[in-house]
Amino acid sequence: WREALEELGLAPRIIVMVRNPLDVAASLQRRNQFPPTKSALLWLAHLIAVERDSRDLPRVFVSYDELLRNWRKSLGRAERTLGLRLPGWNDDAAMEIDILLSESKRHFASDATALRSRADFPTWIAAAYDWALAAAAEHRPDSAILDGIASDFHSAADVFAPVLAFE
């Protein structure tokens, strides 16, 4: 993506959506019949990769829960943080977004407490989610924390590789 954007003369800006791994797991279980632990580990792998690979770029982390509660505030913060104006804002678009991002259309809604109580998930999952929520709340958590989680995760990759393998 970086190469393609550079060829077009565009500077990448990153919006990282932070969604509860339990909700991601439930969605992937419904859609792909993935076991919850596999989905949570995939969630972790993607978070680690996007955080590591976007450190040198303008970026913002956005909580999915907050986006559904107040998308105008979330996207306004993203615009301010990234120094851009998202195209297509008008009253008609806002009404469409209100419908699209309605809490009533949400299929899964888990809280962080439920995530921490999952004995079948490595503790990395909850720790990484806490890190991502802090980033979404603009607390600027130390990337070294996620690096430590990533190091442990990658050290155990031989154990988890069969779980993460796509069938």
Side-chain angles (χ1 to χ4, degrees):
W1 285 109
R2 283 185 185 216
E3 288 177 24
L5 290 171
E6 285 175 13
E7 285 179 20
L8 294 171
L10 301 172
R13 292 175 176 90
I14 310 299
I15 299 175
V16 180
M17 185 60 54
V18 178
R19 188 173 175 207
N20 189 311
L22 286 177
D23 297 345
V24 172
S27 181
L28 289 174
Q29 186 170 32
R30 176 193 278 177
R31 189 185 74 197
N32 301 83
Q33 293 75 50
F34 285 179
T37 303
K38 175 179 181 171
S39 297
L41 291 169
L42 287 168
W43 174 92
L44 178 61
H46 285 95
L47 176 65
I48 288 169
V50 73
E51 191 283 327
R52 178 198 62 224
D53 295 342
S54 67
R55 285 181 186 170
D56 64 329
L57 297 171
R59 67 181 183 180
V60 63
F61 289 77
V62 175
S63 161
Y64 183 72
D65 293 337
E66 183 60 34
L67 181 74
L68 290 181
R69 276 192 296 273
N70 190 344
W71 67 265
R72 287 170 180 84
K73 179 180 174 185
S74 293
L75 293 184
R77 182 173 67 84
E79 286 182 323
R80 283 188 306 281
T81 301
L82 299 175
L84 58 82
R85 178 85 173 127
L86 297 172
W89 289 97
N90 59 45
D91 291 341
D92 290 338
M95 287 190 331
E96 295 275 336
I97 295 169
D98 284 335
I99 293 166
L100 178 69
L101 294 180
S102 166
E103 286 269 4
S104 66
K105 292 190 175 185
R106 187 173 193 174
H107 299 151
F108 307 104
S110 305
D111 65 16
T113 304
L115 176 62
R116 288 183 198 96
S117 69
R118 290 294 295 252
D120 58 331
F121 284 10
T123 57
W124 308 318
I125 306 296
Y129 182 57
D130 288 342
W131 185 97
L133 286 177
E138 299 184 87
H139 294 302
R140 298 183 186 226
D142 187 352
S143 291
I145 294 169
L146 210 56
D147 287 342
I149 293 168
S151 177
D152 292 345
F153 175 69
H154 293 305
S155 293
D158 289 340
V159 174
F160 290 114
V163 176
L164 292 172
F166 288 98
E167 297 171 9

